[in-house]
Amino acid sequence: MGRVALVTGGTRGIGAAICKALKDAGYTVAANFAGNEEAAAKFTEETGISTYKWNVGSYEESQAGIAKIEEELGPIDVVVANAGITRDAPFHKMTPEQWHQVIDTNLTGVFNTVHPVWPGMRERKFGRIVVISSINGQKGQFAQVNYAATKAGDLGIVKSLAQEGARANITANAICPGYIATEMVMAVPEKVRDSIVAQIPTGRLGEPEEIARCVVFLAADDAQFVNGSTISANGGQFFV
Ligand code: CAA
């Protein structure tokens, strides 16, 4: 039987490209989404990939959603924690609500997604965890104290999980996309976006597929020795 992969935030943007690439690579894919029913229906129509609705910020909903996927498709072998939101504001204007919304979805969401699948991966002695972090978790970003904190947190999560899972052939790695042509980046004011593109040596925004190919590499059965690492895919904008 083929391997089963769960991608959170899988029906749009980078997540949708990841789902398609994993499907093309032979995985049975489950795409989680939080609320946009229309985008989810369109995604399934185009790809034939099943979607599952829950809020990754809720542990109970995550547990239930994951249990449903495992019942329908089989045990989850690959988790791609991709779901993420922005609530950008300069720090002096950032509200506690903006802070908590981003922490709940982007950081607690990773815990809620990985924790329910972890015992099964340990038992079966196989698992691939890929967390989609960001260039802004590596370098920080004006108006993103909340978002940068979560994306830097992702790196701590994978480095710790890598050590805990290694003996059970579970790997945990992060990908730090730079600025990719998705709705999230297109929502940045045009003037600001232009100034960002000017800082990218490649001279353009990245494509979602350029992140998806990194995921396929990390998810592979023979990628066991790549563990706890961070892949930067940012067009040369930032080097660690
Ligand atoms: N560096 C330095 N100064 C900056 C700046 C920057 N990057 N961006 C804005 N500023 C300055 C402006 O020039 C302005 O200064 P003045 O007041 O002196 O004119 C000030 O900050 C903005 O003040 P405002 O009160 O007008 O700000 P605002 O409350 O309207 O907020 C904003 C505007 C939310 C910051 C908006 O400019 C914005 O969205 N910026 C983009 C932030 C960004 O890059 N987000 C990344 C999103 S993509 C993503 O997150 C995906 C990923 O992983 C890469």
Side-chain angles (χ1 to χ4, degrees):
M1 199 175 77
R3 295 211 177 275
V4 175
L6 161 64
V7 182
T8 63
T11 59
R12 292 189 291 143
I14 292 174
I18 293 169
C19 286
K20 289 178 204 163
L22 286 171
K23 187 183 178 202
D24 289 348
Y27 294 82
T28 301
V29 180
N32 150 269
F33 71 104
N36 191 331
E37 302 270 4
E38 202 184 321
K42 191 162 165 254
F43 171 82
T44 300
E45 199 182 299
E46 276 172 22
T47 63
I49 294 170
S50 308
T51 61
Y52 297 83
K53 183 178 173 182
W54 76 83
N55 169 10
V56 297
S58 157
Y59 190 79
E60 290 69 29
E61 285 186 34
S62 300
Q63 257 186 328
I66 285 164
K68 186 163 183 248
I69 292 169
E70 297 205 318
E71 211 178 284
E72 290 180 8
L73 306 179
I76 294 170
D77 304 297
V78 176
V79 168
V80 185
N82 165 76
I85 60 168
T86 54
R87 295 290 181 269
D88 294 355
F91 190 56
H92 64 280
K93 291 185 184 171
M94 190 173 282
T95 62
E97 194 189 6
Q98 287 173 319
W99 168 262
H100 286 296
Q101 284 175 339
V102 173
I103 297 290
D104 288 353
T105 300
N106 296 14
L107 191 62
T108 307
V110 177
F111 177 87
N112 292 346
T113 304
V114 177
H115 196 255
V117 298
W118 191 255
M121 287 182 169
R122 278 166 50 87
E123 268 169 39
R124 295 187 301 275
K125 303 237 175 305
F126 183 86
R128 296 286 179 265
I129 312 290
V130 182
V131 181
I132 306 301
S133 176
S134 166
I135 184 175
N136 292 343
Q138 296 172 301
K139 71 168 187 58
Q141 172 60 34
F142 190 100
Q144 285 200 313
V145 164
N146 48 4
Y147 184 86
T150 63
K151 297 300 179 177
D154 288 341
L155 306 184
I157 289 175
V158 300
K159 286 172 187 173
S160 304
L161 286 180
Q163 294 175 49
E164 293 196 25
R167 292 272 174 93
N169 189 13
I170 305 171
T171 66
N173 293 284
I175 298 170
C176 286
Y179 284 77
I180 309 299
T182 60
E183 285 171 45
M184 183 184 275
V185 169
M186 291 311 176
V188 172
E190 196 178 351
K191 224 175 103 190
V192 180
R193 209 171 55 238
D194 288 348
S195 73
I196 291 167
V197 174
Q199 294 161 35
I200 306 173
T202 311
R204 62 170 175 85
L205 296 173
E207 294 299 328
E209 293 73 20
E210 293 177 295
I211 305 307
R213 67 186 306 161
C214 302
V215 174
V216 173
F217 166 71
L218 292 171
D221 278 30
D222 59 4
Q224 184 187 11
F225 219 59
V226 186
N227 199 6
S229 74
T230 301
I231 297 183
S232 298
N234 62 32
Q237 188 182 349
F238 185 74
F239 306 123
V240 185

